Amino acid sequence: MQICYTKDELRVALADLRRSGDIGLVPTMGHLHAGHMALVSKARSDTTHVVASIFVNPIQFGSQEDLVNYPRTLEHDLDMLRAAGVALVFVPNTQTMFHEEAQTIIETTALSTMLMGSLRPGHFKGVATIVMKLFNLFQPDRAYFGEKDYQQLAVIRTMVRDLDVPVDIVSVATVREPDGLAMSSRNSRLSKPSRAAAAILFHACKMGETMAHEGATADEISRQIFEVISENPLADVQSVDVRHADTLEEYEGLITAPAVILLAVRFDPVLLIDQYVIKQKQD
Ligand code: PAF
C-alpha cells in the first residue's frame, strides 16, 4: 500500500493506478472502525483500485477543543487499510491541504443550515469544502460515504449535482454494534453507563419505523421517540426529526415518501447521532 503525504506524490501515484483500472475513494478522518471498513469492502467489490484519505479536517469542527481531542490512531488505521487491500492512502497535513490564504468555501445553502447544521454551525460548509478538494485531487470514479451521516451524504450528493462533479456517490448502510448502537469514532469517548444507555437510540428508531408503518405522522413519531429516549436520565435529547429521505424537508401530515429519522442526543459531553432510513413496510 502506497502512502502519499503531498499532492504531487498523490498525483503521480494516481496516474499510475488509473492506467490499470478505475478508482474508488473512501474519505476518512481516521480512527477507523468496522463502519469505515464496510465502505472499503463495498468499494473493493465494484472498483479496481480502492484509495483512501486520512485527514482530520479543521474547518468542519466548531471548537478547537473538539479538534484537539479528536482521536488520532494513524498506525492502526494504516494497518487496517493495508489488510483490507487498499492501494493508496493520502495522509496530508493541514499546511499541505490548505493554502495559507485560502478563502473559498462550498455551501449547500438550505441543507447545510437545517437539522444538524443548526446544532453545529459551519460544519457542513467545512465538510463540503474538504470533500470537493478531495474530489479534485483524486478525481475518483466513485466515492463512498456511510448512511449513518445521512445529512452529510445529502449535502455531498447535492453539491455533486449542483456543481456537475463527475463522480458517482455510493452510500453504504450503517454498521451497528450487537446492541444496535451505530458505529462511530465518538463511541469510545462514552462512559460505561452512557455506552450501555446509548443503545436506546437504535431501539427508538425501530419503534419509529413501526409507528410509520402503522400510519403515524412525522410529528407523532418524533414526539414519541423524544419521550422514550428522555426517560433515560443520562440522555440529553438535542433533536428528533422525521424527514423526507431525498430532500430532508419536513412532512406535512402523513409520511408519503421514503423517510429518515434523524436523532442527536448528548450522553455526558458526547454528541451521538443516528440517522435511520425507514424501510418500506413488508406486506
Ligand atoms: O465522514 C467523515 O469522516 C468526514 O466528514 C469526511 C467525509 C471524511 C470529511 O472530512
Side-chain angles (χ1 to χ4, degrees):
M1 183 176 78
Q2 192 162 353
I3 303 173
C4 301
Y5 297 94
T6 68
K7 292 176 182 172
D8 283 344
E9 283 170 357
L10 179 68
R11 260 181 222 116
V12 173
L14 282 170
D16 215 30
L17 289 179
R18 211 166 273 121
R19 270 192 279 278
S20 56
D22 53 2
I23 306 269
L25 170 65
V26 179
T28 81
M29 297 207 301
H31 198 44
L32 304 183
H33 50 66
H36 297 106
M37 300 329 283
L39 303 181
V40 170
S41 144
K42 171 72 180 130
R44 285 213 66 190
S45 72
D46 46 34
T47 308
T48 319
H49 302 296
V50 179
V51 298
S53 60
I54 300 178
F55 179 61
V56 181
N57 172 29
I59 65 166
Q60 71 185 75
F61 285 82
S63 84
Q64 192 61 20
E65 196 188 338
D66 280 356
L67 173 62
V68 170
N69 289 335
Y70 195 85
R72 286 155 171 93
T73 52
L74 184 60
E75 288 312 315
H76 175 253
D77 296 343
L78 292 175
D79 286 347
M80 283 177 87
L81 295 173
R82 196 177 287 113
V86 168
L88 175 162
V89 188
F90 182 43
V91 191
N93 61 26
T94 304
Q95 288 69 33
T96 302
M97 217 41 205
F98 291 104
H99 191 280
E100 56 188 15
E101 288 166 17
Q103 50 180 303
T104 307
I105 282 290
I106 304 239
E107 181 173 14
T108 47
T109 47
L111 267 176
S112 65
T113 47
M114 61 165 72
L115 300 163
M116 282 300 290
S118 66
L119 291 177
R120 303 180 71 189
H123 171 70
F124 289 115
K125 285 198 265 188
V127 170
T129 305
I130 198 69
V131 170
M132 189 66 199
K133 281 167 73 67
L134 291 170
F135 286 171
N136 285 334
L137 288 166
F138 280 86
Q139 302 185 6
D141 298 277
R142 277 167 229 102
Y144 296 80
F145 296 90
E147 277 181 7
K148 174 182 172 284
D149 295 308
Y150 197 86
Q151 190 173 356
Q152 165 172 289
L153 185 60
V155 164
I156 292 166
R157 281 193 194 287
T158 303
M159 173 184 83
V160 163
R161 180 200 67 191
D162 293 353
L163 300 181
D164 301 307
V165 187
V167 58
D168 283 340
I169 302 300
V170 183
S171 65
V172 175
T174 305
V175 179
R176 295 180 180 277
E177 301 279 1
D179 66 357
L181 180 65
M183 295 250 182
S184 162
S185 312
R186 290 162 182 253
N187 296 352
S188 62
R189 291 170 47 207
L190 293 168
S191 67
K192 225 169 166 197
S194 292
R195 167 62 193 85
I200 186 68
L201 303 194
F202 178 62
H203 299 296
C205 288
K206 293 297 275 182
M207 178 194 73
E209 181 173 59
T210 306
M211 287 178 73
H213 292 166
E214 288 168 359
T217 63
D219 264 2
E220 287 163 343
I221 296 171
S222 309
R223 252 182 283 125
Q224 188 63 27
I225 290 180
F226 187 96
E227 273 171 34
V228 165
I229 299 177
S230 299
E231 275 167 21
N232 192 304
L234 295 173
D236 177 9
V237 184
Q238 306 285 303
S239 62
V240 180
D241 294 275
V242 180
R243 296 285 177 102
H244 279 276
D246 296 337
T247 59
L248 293 187
E249 273 164 18
E250 285 180 44
Y251 280 104
E252 305 214 345
L254 283 183
I255 297 175
T256 51
V260 59
I261 300 172
L262 302 106
L263 302 183
V265 180
R266 233 174 244 293
F267 288 88
D268 311 317
V270 185
L271 181 66
L272 294 185
I273 63 171
D274 202 330
Q275 308 197 327
Y276 179 88
V277 182
I278 294 179
K279 291 179 201 68
Q280 293 291 334
K281 189 175 178 185
Q282 303 293 326
D283 291 321

